[in-house]
Structure formats: C-alpha cells, structure tokens
Amino acid sequence: MHAKRMIFAAMLTATAGLPSAYAADLEGPRRYRDPRNDAYYPTWNWTGLYIGLHGGYGLSSADWDFIGASLSNPGAGSVLGGQIGYNFQSGRMVYGIEGDLSSTWMNGTDGCGFLVNCRHDINWMGSVRGRLGFTVNDNRTLLYGTGGVAWADAKFASRDAITNAVLGSEYSVTQQGWVLGAGIEHQLSQNLTMRVEYLNYNFNGMTAPAGTVDVLPTKIDLSSQVVRFGLNLKF
C-alpha cells in the first residue's frame, strides 16, 4: 500500500507540470539566455535564403518627346511574379540582396495628334536590389528600404484613333534603369513571411527610331510605381 501511495504521488507531481509546459508552447518561439550579458533574445531570425511569390498593382507613365510637342501618357495594370534573396542579420539590423521578375499588364493609351493615339505596354519588369532594414515587434517584423538596378520590356506605338491600326511600326525595347522602394515584412512562422512593399521604377533615355512611332526619332521616358504583396518561404 505504501508503494502505491508513492507511485500515485509521483504521478500527481509529473502531471502538475503539464499545463504550464503546454501554455509555454502556445506562446510561440522560446527565448534563449545570452551568457555574455544575461539578457533574453527572441528566436525569430531573418538570416537565410528565401524564395517567394508576389502580386500587386501599378501605375505607369510614358513621356513622349516629339519634335515641337510632348505628351505624358498614363497607364495602369496588375503585376505577378516571384523573388529570391538572402538576408543577413546583425543585432536588429537586417541586410541582404534580392532578385525578382514580374509579368506586367500595365498599359495606357492617349491622344497625341489629330485622330492619332499613342500607346505603351509594359510586358515585364525585373530587378536586382539591395535591402537594408531593422526589426521591431520582438524581432518578428522587418521595416526596410530597397534599391538597385531594374529592367523593363516595353512596347510603344502610334495608332489610328478610329481603326486602332498601327501607324508606322511598333517600337519594342528592353531598357535598363533603377528602382527605389520600401516595405514591411512579418514572420508568420519560422519559415513563412508576408510582406507589402512600394517600388518606384524609372527607365529614361529611350529613343524610338524614325519611322516607328513618328516620322522622326522620338525620345521616350518610362516610369512606374508599384505596390506588391508577397509571401516568402524561408530556408
């Protein structure tokens, strides 16, 4: 009988610790103690490789500089693509590099002469950017700025305002430029993050040859502003 009482008491002691252990698991990632200064640090960490998808919406603008006249041609459309990158974390600072590629459906048509419309279409955009930011929310949320080199594949044409037939020929080009932006990213779990970001692209210095969008060479500057939502899988 005495042995049974001892076993029963041991079972009660072991069971008493279960609610607190279960509650600790529900709290999320545990913290570890840094022996150097006896402080607690969260286990949320941004260092590592990631890959993901994004989608969003953008506004575009093509500035046409004809001989003796100029036109700002606005446009809009959606974007859909993917990204891959690598982050390094030092304290609360996070820095890294990212490459992305987006299919785009941004286009715009506007009158640029008597019964003539000017149209631009952006087919895709890509970039290679650096990222620099700092963490908040117990190291779980990242605020960052980003910038780098960008590319856009675009098409320009002058069209008959009635029949929509191309006048001359279309001018297609893949142009290099730059991109700057900022965003916020949050860790949903140890391996999944969600973000929203704003990117401002600029592609200046294109010249459509004579006989394409006009009888004379035409200078075109292209820009776009995009808001994107994304999900990343972190390794």
Side-chain angles (χ1 to χ4, degrees):
M1 180 65 69
H2 181 69
K4 289 182 178 181
R5 290 179 180 177
M6 292 182 62
I7 294 173
F8 182 70
M11 291 174 62
L12 287 178
T13 303
T15 306
L18 289 178
S20 59
Y22 179 70
D25 288 339
L26 292 179
E27 292 176 357
R30 297 178 179 177
R31 299 165 178 264
Y32 67 88
R33 185 182 295 273
D34 187 339
R36 295 169 298 178
N37 55 15
D38 199 33
Y40 283 101
Y41 287 88
T43 59
W44 299 105
N45 191 277
W46 291 88
T47 296
L49 177 71
Y50 62 88
I51 186 170
L53 299 173
H54 64 257
Y57 194 80
L59 302 176
S60 59
S61 178
D63 296 330
W64 307 63
D65 189 7
F66 301 99
I67 299 299
S70 60
L71 167 73
S72 182
N73 174 208
S78 57
V79 302
L80 181 65
Q83 65 274 346
I84 184 171
Y86 197 96
N87 287 323
F88 301 89
Q89 182 167 359
S90 176
R92 289 193 175 273
M93 300 300 298
V94 177
Y95 54 97
I97 188 169
E98 178 175 299
D100 69 89
L101 185 64
S102 306
S103 292
T104 66
W105 293 266
M106 283 186 284
N107 58 72
T109 302
D110 207 355
C112 57
F114 180 68
L115 295 180
V116 177
N117 288 335
C118 287
R119 179 181 174 89
H120 74 271
D121 295 86
I122 303 178
N123 302 314
W124 58 262
M125 295 192 301
S127 69
V128 176
R129 295 172 284 105
R131 297 206 313 161
L132 178 63
F134 62 93
T135 64
V136 295
N137 187 30
D138 199 23
N139 206 49
R140 193 172 179 177
T141 303
L142 174 65
L143 306 176
Y144 65 90
T146 183
V149 61
W151 296 266
D153 184 78
K155 180 173 61 178
F156 306 89
S158 296
R159 295 177 175 267
D160 187 287
I162 299 177
T163 66
N164 203 37
V166 175
L167 304 176
S169 63
E170 294 179 332
Y171 171 55
S172 297
V173 63
T174 299
Q175 182 73 2
Q176 182 176 312
W178 53 262
V179 56
L180 293 173
I184 179 171
E185 190 166 359
H186 180 73
Q187 295 195 44
L188 300 174
S189 70
Q190 293 292 327
N191 299 106
L192 186 66
T193 71
M194 176 180 65
R195 68 163 62 161
V196 58
E197 61 186 357
Y198 163 82
L199 296 172
N200 182 18
Y201 297 84
N202 197 290
F203 308 96
N204 290 334
M206 293 174 279
T207 301
T212 54
V213 299
D214 196 16
V215 294
L216 297 174
T218 303
K219 184 176 180 294
I220 304 174
D221 293 333
L222 180 67
S223 62
S224 66
Q225 302 180 66
V226 178
V227 174
R228 307 193 311 196
F229 299 87
L231 286 174
N232 287 321
L233 182 63
K234 178 176 172 291
F235 299 95

